[in-house]
Structure formats: structure tokens, C-alpha cells
Amino acid sequence: MEISWFQAALLGLFACLSSMPGLGGTSFGNYTLGRPLVGGLVCGIILGDLTAGILVGVALQVVYIALVTPGGTVSADVRAISYIGIPLAMIAIKSYGLDAASADGQALAISFGTMVGTLGTVLFYGTATINLAWQHVGWKAVEKGDFKKLYVVDMVLPWISHILCSFIPTMIMCKMGAPMVDLIKIYLPMDGVTMKTLFTVGSLLPCVGIAILLKQIVTKAIDFIPFFLGFTLAASLGINLVSATVIAGMFAFINYRIKMLSLQRASAGSIDLDDEEDI
Amino acid sequence: MEKKLTKKVLNKSFHNWYYGNLTCFSQEHMQTFGYLCSMLPIVEELYSKKEDQQKAMHTYTAFFNTEPQVGSVIVGMTAGLEEARANGAEDVDDETINGLRAGLMGPIAGIGDSLVVGTVIPILLGVAMGMSTGGSPVGAIFYTIVWNLFAYFGMKLLYFKGYELGGKAVDFLVGPQGEALRESITMVGGIVIGAVAATWVSVQTSFTMIAKGETVPYLILQNTLDGVYPGLLTAVFVLFCWFLLSKKKLSPIKVMLLLVVIALVGVLVGFFNPGLTY
């Protein structure tokens, strides 16, 4: 599978829009275009294989389902995962002759995408560092009272940071991807230990993504119960995700009603107590 | 005459925040410039003299960073405070405004990261992935539409509630009713994440034991484990990663590297074998 310069440039443009801090804005750029699921759709359209794009996107989405960036520290970069990792994974799957829907195809996609995503943090720090220069321009403008310049500083000048740290790296990596994957194929045959390990890692990595989410939800052992309810619904009963969400909604509704009732009780109870004290 | 911000100006301020909150991010001043751009239309509307504008804008040059989506409520509140200050309210000065901003940054970031980024987005993504099974684009399109409508109107609501109600808007978010609501949404998150793990994560062992001279193995470990609890090995690995992240305080990258080692050892001893062939 070859990627043309035009396709590579389009992928580069989406990388500019989707990264954190992206030029598509937080909600639409980072949290929409940057998610591997949506990235898979976009890459699938650009590279002309929608199904493969979505399948690779879904596989990577599981790993990065909990990509929270507290205080601007990142462990992976969305532009690299979605617009370098997904295209390269698509090429690799094609090149190895795998089916993107098979467990092997998904595992390969995950190991490729995750590797690229982790290395991509360099791009994040690069963008943020270049932005310091524009902010410097901004401070001077504020001092002089030249407020209109603030818009240029906040919304126009960062394009330069992104051309350097998103557009060019993405375009080159995607364009060079096909020959690179061919090289990897020669040096790492599929039945060797390295490839077996790589595929196994691909099936283990999504556990980290799930665990990061659990870390936020679970503070004590009892908090695991909802997680295992969901797990059992899907694994043992074969209930799909949409149906599981409906069931979850019912439990949440009951929980909310109980909480609200106990709140009303508590406030009513405290009044009663006061009365008794008066007597 | 009493100064009143028009709907048009407030909308402009909101849209500047909605789009520009993080576009010029740096590690030094994370969302400060997004904030300045958002307050600019308001300051220009309220003060006609250049030096008054400059003085007001100077308030917002202080460092600012929070979860930008739920953080809209803070921007809305300062819009209300700035209006009060322009009308000559004695008790509103630089210190009140920046004290409020600094005081709310942390709690709002906590709510935003855990509720929106850590729960609502994963729930939507989980459902969307279910719809995209087999490579259908429906899930990706569903997520794009539903999430963006939720984010845009949710942020707009928070901004205007912040402007109208001031501190009361935050009271709802951190108060008992808000807490009950958050706890319930977290519960949905927990259940959906469990279903996502069972559906999309699959850790399998290839370990078998064959008696001498036989061709059919008498123990297929994967089947035995699934007989105990379907997906047991996947659940064990998720719990193991959770243990390393929460209890051992390892960073995600270190956990990933450890998994690479486990995978290598597992492949060498024959516990894992993806069964690859050309």
C-alpha cells in the first residue's frame, strides 16, 4: 500500500487539528478528531480503505480509552497515534497479508500504533515549547494595549508550531512508512520470537488503557463491583455494549434516587434532632 | 447608567473560549491566552477608555489552567464579576477575581477530568466502538455527532449559568446533589468499561498439556480458565495493571514496558503464542 504526497499532506493537516493543544479546539480537535476511533474513520477515507481504517482505529481506541492529560502531562500523543500510527498500522497489516478484523491484525495494529504514540510525546513537548515564543509576543502586545494581537497569538501563530511539529513529521513518517514496513518485514519474520512478542504485547496493552480508567473509578475494593457486572454481562451473557449501557443507566438511576432520598432524610433528620434538643 | 453585557458579546466571549482555550498552549502559561481572548470582547464592551481596558485585561494575565470544558463555568463567572466591577462594585477587585479563579481551577479540573474525560467520553466511545464492530463507520459518526453536541451545548450552558448565578453555579457542581449525580454517572462508567474490557480486550494463553503418545491435549488451559469465569485471564491482567498503576504508583509507560517483558517471557516458555503463519 502506497501513500501519495497528497494523502500524506492531508494526514498532516489532520494532525495539526487534532493534537493536544490542537488547532481544531479542545472539544472538536483533541476529543473528536484526536480519538483513534474517529482517526480511523478519517484515515480510512483518506487512504481509501474505510473498513480497515475503522478496525485499526477501534483496536487502538481501547488502549487509549482513558487518555486524560492532567495538568498537561502526556504519556502518549493523539496526533501521533491517530494520524501516524493508524496509517502505518494499516500499511503493516496489508504488507503482512493479515486481515484487519482478525485478532492478529488488531494485535499488530496496537503494537505499531502504541509505539508511535509513545514516541509522539516529543511532538507534544515540541509544540508547547515553540508556543512559548508566540506567548512572548503576546505579553508585549498586552503591555502596549495592542489587544487585537491576542487573537493572532492565540489562534494564528500556533499554526507555525504545528507546521513544524505536526504537519511535517506526520507527512514524512506516513510517506516513508511503506518502505520502512518492508524493511521491518525482512528483518523480523512473522514466526520469530520478536514478532510473536510484538503480537502478544498488542493483546496485553489494552489492559493498561482499561486499568487507567479503573484507577480513577476505583478507590476501594467494593468499587470493582460495577466493573465486574459489566464484564460479566458482556463475557458470560454476550450482551453488546449498547445494551450494557442501558442496563448501566438503570442502575445509575436507582443509585441517584436512593442518594437523593437519603439526602432528604438527612436534612429532615437534622431538623428533628434540633427539635429534641430544644425540649 | 447601569452597564449590561449584551447576549452578542457574551456569545463572542464564549466562542473565543470554546475554540481557543488551548490553541496557544505552553507549559508555562497553559490556558492564559485562551482566557485573555475570551475576556477581551467583554472588557472592550464594558470600558471605553484605553487605560481602563488595559487595567482590566491585566487581571487576566495570571496563570490559568483547568479542565477547559467544565472550566467554562469559571469564565462565565468572571464575565459576571467584570460586569459588576465596571458598575462600580466596591468589593470586586483584581484580588477577588484572581482568588476565585485560583481557588476554582483545581476542584473544577478534578471534576472535569474524572467526570467528562474519564467517564462521559469513555462511555460514548465504548458505545460507539460497539456500533463500529466489523469496521462500520456508524460508531465513529455517532461519537462525533453526540459528543460535539454535548460538549458545545454543555459548555454553553455552564458559561451562561456561571455568568447568571456566579458562585451558586459551582455550588451545584460540588454540592450534594451534584455529587449524587456524579456518583451515578461514574457507576455507568464502571459498568460500561467492564463491558468494553470483556468485548475488546482478549488475553489468551496457548498453554496445553499433552500426554505422551496422545494427539489430543488433556489440558487446554484457556478452556479451563474460561470454564471458571469467562474472560478470567483478561480480567486478571486488567487487575494486575490496575494494581501496578494505583498501588505501586508506576507510570503507564513503565507498566507497558513491563508487559513487553512479560510477553517475551510468556512467548519463550510457550504460555503465549499468537499462532502466526504466512
Side-chain angles (χ1 to χ4, degrees):
Chain A
M1 192 160 127
E2 275 290 320
I3 294 182
S4 70
W5 279 111
F6 178 67
Q7 285 170 322
L10 272 180
L11 292 168
L13 178 67
F14 273 96
C16 297
L17 294 175
S18 69
S19 48
M20 203 305 269
L23 286 165
T26 304
S27 310
F28 184 67
N30 184 19
Y31 289 123
T32 309
L33 293 175
R35 301 300 107 176
L37 177 68
V38 181
L41 175 72
V42 175
C43 293
I45 293 172
I46 292 176
L47 299 178
D49 191 344
L50 191 62
T51 314
I54 299 269
L55 285 169
V56 171
V58 168
L60 276 167
Q61 184 62 72
V62 186
V63 183
Y64 294 110
I65 195 158
L67 201 66
V68 186
T69 50
T73 49
V74 296
S75 57
D77 184 79
V78 283
R79 94 197 85 176
I81 300 160
S82 296
Y83 296 102
I84 305 176
I86 293 179
L88 291 186
M90 286 170 73
I91 294 173
I93 288 174
K94 282 261 160 65
S95 169
Y96 274 98
L98 294 169
D99 178 6
S102 68
D104 289 343
Q106 305 255 302
L108 183 69
I110 291 170
S111 15
F112 259 77
T114 315
M115 211 153 55
V116 173
T118 311
L119 296 175
T121 46
V122 177
L123 303 178
F124 166 76
Y125 288 107
T127 319
T129 308
I130 301 175
N131 280 346
L132 276 174
W134 317 139
Q135 296 192 341
H136 186 72
V137 174
W139 293 129
K140 283 210 168 137
V142 173
E143 254 170 59
K144 280 194 217 138
D146 186 7
F147 296 130
K148 287 284 171 250
K149 222 174 186 168
L150 280 173
Y151 292 127
V152 180
V153 166
D154 194 49
M155 297 167 193
V156 181
L157 289 174
W159 273 103
I160 301 174
S161 322
H162 278 281
I163 286 171
L164 294 172
C165 288
S166 307
F167 185 77
I168 292 174
T170 305
M171 191 165 73
I172 290 177
M173 293 278 287
C174 289
K175 184 64 197 159
M176 296 303 151
M180 237 159 42
V181 168
D182 283 340
L183 266 182
I184 295 173
K185 219 172 84 178
I186 294 167
Y187 287 106
L188 300 175
M190 280 254 273
D191 36 9
V193 172
T194 319
M195 267 329 239
K196 277 187 185 171
T197 306
L198 208 61
F199 275 79
T200 307
V201 171
S203 68
L204 294 179
L205 281 180
C207 296
V208 184
I210 304 287
I212 295 174
L213 265 190
L214 278 178
K215 192 183 159 194
Q216 297 188 18
I217 297 175
V218 176
T219 43
K220 47 194 182 303
I222 204 163
D223 297 336
F224 272 115
I225 293 176
F227 173 77
F228 277 104
L229 173 69
F231 197 93
T232 310
L233 287 176
S236 305
L237 301 176
I239 285 172
N240 81 15
L241 279 161
V242 178
S243 312
T245 311
V246 174
I247 296 172
M250 188 64 215
F251 276 102
F253 175 67
I254 295 170
N255 181 66
Y256 180 71
R257 294 296 288 267
I258 293 173
K259 280 274 152 184
M260 290 314 286
L261 269 176
S262 67
L263 275 176
Q264 284 164 13
R265 279 280 167 75
S267 54
S270 65
I271 293 164
D272 286 345
L273 259 174
D274 288 348
D275 288 346
E276 278 165 30
E277 274 167 14
D278 286 339
I279 296 164
Chain B
M1 199 189 88
E2 180 98 341
K3 288 173 187 161
K4 185 90 185 121
L5 289 166
T6 60
K7 189 100 181 166
K8 200 178 144 210
V9 171
L10 287 167
N11 267 327
K12 181 146 198 270
S13 160
F14 166 71
H15 285 123
N16 284 354
W17 176 254
Y18 175 76
Y19 173 69
N21 53 40
L22 270 171
T23 43
C24 192
F25 171 96
S26 81
Q27 297 285 352
E28 186 194 16
H29 272 277
M30 298 178 166
Q31 293 161 1
T32 312
F33 278 86
Y35 216 110
L36 284 167
C37 283
S38 173
M39 292 311 289
L40 185 56
I42 286 171
V43 167
E44 281 179 331
E45 171 87 357
L46 290 173
Y47 306 98
S48 48
K49 271 193 252 146
K50 190 88 187 171
E51 54 257 45
D52 290 341
Q53 287 183 4
Q54 218 153 345
K55 200 168 148 281
M57 283 303 279
H58 188 77
T59 314
Y60 302 99
T61 54
F63 172 83
F64 189 79
N65 188 48
T66 190
E67 201 289 303
Q69 296 168 113
V70 180
S72 309
V73 73
I74 305 180
V75 188
M77 283 167 70
T78 43
L81 283 174
E82 196 59 58
E83 188 186 69
R85 171 156 79 168
N87 284 320
E90 291 277 318
D91 51 347
V92 181
D93 55 13
D94 277 15
E95 256 172 66
T96 1
I97 293 178
N98 273 322
L100 177 102
R101 293 205 310 158
L104 286 176
M105 273 188 323
I108 293 291
I111 293 176
D113 281 344
S114 63
L115 188 70
V116 178
V117 186
T119 310
V120 175
I121 290 180
I123 292 173
L124 285 175
L125 282 172
V127 173
M129 283 192 287
M131 294 174 161
S132 271
T133 313
S136 146
V138 173
I141 294 165
F142 162 84
Y143 173 79
T144 305
I145 294 170
V146 174
W147 160 247
N148 279 290
L149 288 178
F150 174 79
Y152 179 79
F153 289 105
M155 284 171 76
K156 198 164 187 176
L157 180 80
L158 281 172
Y159 179 95
F160 281 93
K161 284 289 167 209
Y163 169 70
E164 284 159 23
L165 303 174
K168 281 194 204 104
V170 174
D171 286 346
F172 173 77
L173 282 175
V174 295
Q177 198 189 348
E179 204 185 302
L181 196 63
R182 272 188 286 139
E183 199 192 280
S184 306
I185 294 173
T186 308
M187 184 178 263
V188 180
I191 298 173
V192 172
I193 293 315
V196 166
T199 312
W200 294 105
V201 187
S202 169
V203 181
Q204 295 202 325
T205 175
S206 56
F207 188 79
T208 55
M209 279 174 140
I210 306 178
K212 218 173 182 179
E214 294 283 329
T215 47
V216 185
Y218 65 86
L219 174 78
I220 302 172
L221 187 58
Q222 183 63 40
N223 292 355
T224 315
L225 293 175
D226 278 345
V228 177
Y229 178 64
L232 181 64
L233 203 55
T234 306
V236 168
F237 265 94
V238 170
L239 288 187
F240 176 61
C241 293
W242 170 82
F243 172 77
L244 294 175
L245 288 167
S246 306
K247 300 287 166 190
K248 294 284 163 200
K249 310 265 180 246
L250 291 187
S251 68
I253 297 204
K254 279 185 190 151
V255 176
M256 286 178 174
L257 287 174
L258 189 65
L259 288 181
V260 174
V261 176
I262 292 174
L264 177 64
V265 174
V267 166
L268 290 175
V269 303
F271 189 77
F272 293 122
N273 183 1
L276 299 170
T277 43
Y278 279 105

